[in-house]
Amino acid sequence: ILGKKYPVTQDDFYRSRLSGNWDESKAGKRMKVPTPYTWETQLAANGNNSKTWTELILSRKLPYMAMLRNLRNIIQAGVNENIHKIVQKKLSSPEDIKRSKQFPFRFLSAYAVL
């Protein structure tokens, strides 16, 4: 389906067995999968800056390993002190550390870049 054109007529739509209802505004246009909201796509779209990191952290869209591996980037971006405290609390929480299933060298690597 990806890269294919949307059916031009309603009959073509039903023959193609696509789910949902036929949308005339899409007729003949190339079909695309919507870009998901992930930390990678947000950094690529909005840049490595404090606003992007703040939004990712506050929306809880930054997984533990990504937070650990990007600790230097978060600090260098200049996020405010409240965000620092949130990150510090998350990375030092014994429950979150256990759940993260990270090897000890990941923590050592994060410490070394600071």
Side-chain angles (χ1 to χ4, degrees), residues 14-15 43 61 87 114:
Y14 290 119
R15 275 184 284 198
L43 278 176
K61 290 291 185 180
V87 170
L114 298 177

Side-chain angles (χ1 to χ4, degrees), residues 94-108:
E95 296 82 29
D96 288 333
I97 291 171
K98 283 182 211 173
R99 242 181 290 136
S100 75
K101 299 181 181 176
Q102 297 299 306
F103 289 112
F105 77 89
R106 294 284 182 203
F107 296 96
L108 184 59

Side-chain angles (χ1 to χ4, degrees), residues 21-81:
N21 298 320
W22 184 68
D23 184 358
E24 188 175 2
S25 66
K26 296 179 183 178
K29 296 180 183 172
R30 190 170 152 249
M31 293 188 280
K32 297 180 187 177
V33 174
T35 304
Y37 182 91
T38 64
W39 71 272
E40 293 101 335
T41 59
Q42 293 306 302
L43 278 176
N46 302 321
N48 184 12
N49 55 53
S50 64
K51 182 181 176 197
T52 305
W53 285 114
T54 300
E55 288 174 9
L56 289 169
I57 292 165
L58 292 177
S59 66
R60 298 185 177 179
K61 290 291 185 180
L62 190 63
Y64 192 90
M65 183 175 179
M67 190 180 292
L68 185 63
R69 293 188 73 192
N70 287 285
L71 191 55
R72 179 178 50 180
N73 292 336
I74 294 168
I75 293 169
Q76 287 180 344
V79 296
N80 69 37
E81 191 175 328

